Each structure stands twice: as structure tokens, then as C-alpha cells.
Amino acid sequence: MSLALAPLDHEIELEANLPCRKFDPDLWFSDSPAELELAKSLCGDCPLRQECLTGAVERAEPWGVWGGEIFERGAVVPRKRPRGRPRKEDVARDAALRVETEARLAATQVVASRNSVRLAA
């Protein structure tokens, strides 16, 4: 996350305990679904989480974890699927996760309307 793109709060030091500053930055852009889930969990207590997510939505980030959400091709996805054809139970779980992701985005008030954030199907 580039702090030049995120609004700065003067109470937060530039090198504060931001997870994206403390851990390997490649974790937030991994190809591994498990590593992306770890990155999402590390974003949970970040003081800049909301600003990071809002900025990523506005920029339509092409990929990576931003503000605790996974972006793929400019869309928020509930989880990154491994390569290959999905199993039937994975398709059902993805549908449930998509609903949960929409609820989380709405709860953080990033989504004012369905047009502002495109969720991947």
C-alpha cells in the first residue's frame, strides 16, 4: 500500500504498526489462496483499513489484498480460487462468501450502490 495514495492521519506515524509495513509485501500479492487469506486477516486491526479499501475501490485495483478484501481484475472477490475447475461444493461456498463480502463492504459504507464496486461473479 502506498501511503502517498492513502489520506494520512497525523496521529498515525508513517512507519506505524501497519501490517503491510511489518510483513513481506509479497504476501498481499500472492498467488496462493492461503497466503491471501492470511493477508486479509492481518488487515483486520489496521488503523488505515477503511482508507486503504476506499482508495482501492476508487482506483479499481487490479489485484492484491487492499483494506482486508481481495481484488482480482479490479473486482472484489470473496476468496481466490486455486487453479483448475471448481468443485460443486466450492461453487456453493463461493456464492455464500459473495453475499458475506457484499455485506462487509456495505457495513464499511464503501459501497453506496452496486455500480460503485463490481463484485466478481
Side-chain angles (χ1 to χ4, degrees):
M1 178 180 92
S2 171
L3 289 178
L5 298 175
L8 293 177
D9 182 2
H10 294 289
E11 296 177 13
I12 299 173
E13 297 176 15
L14 289 178
E15 295 299 319
N17 290 327
L18 302 177
C20 56
R21 299 288 185 193
K22 291 186 344 185
F23 297 95
D24 181 9
D26 291 339
L27 182 64
W28 276 259
F29 300 96
S30 175
D31 286 328
S32 165
E35 288 182 357
L36 290 176
E37 290 300 322
L38 174 60
K40 279 176 55 174
S41 70
L42 292 172
C43 290
D45 295 327
C46 180
L48 295 178
R49 181 179 182 193
Q50 182 65 38
E51 291 86 354
C52 180
L53 179 59
T54 301
V57 167
E58 289 171 0
R59 293 185 307 272
E61 281 295 336
W63 66 298
V65 174
W66 297 88
E69 299 294 341
I70 298 173
F71 283 75
E72 191 171 293
R73 292 185 218 118
V76 175
V77 296
R79 72 179 184 93
K80 181 169 175 79
R81 286 189 324 107
R83 292 182 173 247
R85 185 174 181 170
R87 297 180 176 179
K88 289 180 182 178
E89 62 267 10
D90 288 344
V91 172
R93 184 176 60 225
D94 283 351
L97 286 172
R98 194 173 303 110
V99 169
E100 179 185 330
T101 301
E102 288 176 358
R104 280 198 320 264
L105 286 171
T108 59
Q109 298 176 353
V110 171
V111 180
S113 70
R114 187 85 167 122
N115 297 332
S116 64
V117 173
R118 182 175 52 92
L119 290 175

